[in-house]
Amino acid sequence: MSVLILVIAIILAVMSLTQKNTVPAVISFVMMMFLLGIYYIFMGEKLLGLFQIFVYTGGIVVLTLFGVTVIGAKFPKFEIRPWAVAVVSIVMIGFLIIPFLLPETEAPSKAIPLKDQVKIFTDFMLSLQFLW
């Protein structure tokens, strides 16, 4: 399910970059940002997902639309460059495959107590003091 969400988000990102009209480009951008927020929520990062949806999908897109309506946008002529499409496609496929190839790391079983963390920090700072 999460891979499907990422694939749709990538398609929407490409659509937002290749649209000639501003409003459809921003709409596809909004849908992409919303899907990324949903993806974060599915991955267990609820706070990050909510920030993505409320801040980026809501606030940044409204600012973008406001800026576009005030300034206006004229896109230059669009040329299809097959080599650029090939490079971007290969890089995006690599970004999708690499996380599955990395070995899983084991989380630490026990947190370091706060007093030991403070001791490590102060010892480090004292060692830096002698460098000065």
Side-chain angles (χ1 to χ4, degrees), residues 21-22 26 30 34 39 42 44 49-52 55 65 73 75 77-78 82 86 91 109-111 116:
N21 295 330
T22 307
V26 171
V30 166
F34 184 76
Y39 173 73
F42 277 156
L50 291 176
F51 270 107
Q52 176 76 27
V55 174
L65 279 175
F75 289 103
K77 291 229 176 204
F78 183 70
V91 168
S109 59
K110 194 166 128 183
D116 293 339

Side-chain angles (χ1 to χ4, degrees), residues 2-3 19 24 47 49 51 53 63 66 72 91 94 97 109 112 115:
S2 62
V3 175
Q19 289 288 327
L47 184 64
F51 270 107
I53 290 171
L63 287 174
F66 177 74
V91 168
I97 292 175
S109 59
I112 300 173
K115 63 179 182 174

Side-chain angles (χ1 to χ4, degrees), residues 101-116:
L101 298 177
L102 296 174
E104 290 188 25
T105 57
E106 191 173 314
S109 59
K110 194 166 128 183
I112 300 173
L114 184 60
K115 63 179 182 174
D116 293 339

Side-chain angles (χ1 to χ4, degrees), residues 52-78:
Q52 176 76 27
I53 290 171
F54 290 129
V55 174
Y56 290 108
T57 304
I60 301 299
V61 170
V62 168
L63 287 174
T64 304
L65 279 175
F66 177 74
V68 166
T69 55
V70 169
I71 298 170
K74 300 233 180 198
F75 289 103
K77 291 229 176 204
F78 183 70

Side-chain angles (χ1 to χ4, degrees), residues 115-130:
K115 63 179 182 174
D116 293 339
Q117 290 180 19
V118 171
K119 181 173 179 353
I120 291 170
F121 178 74
T122 54
D123 290 346
F124 175 72
M125 292 307 285
L126 286 174
S127 69
L128 288 179
Q129 183 181 5
F130 291 117

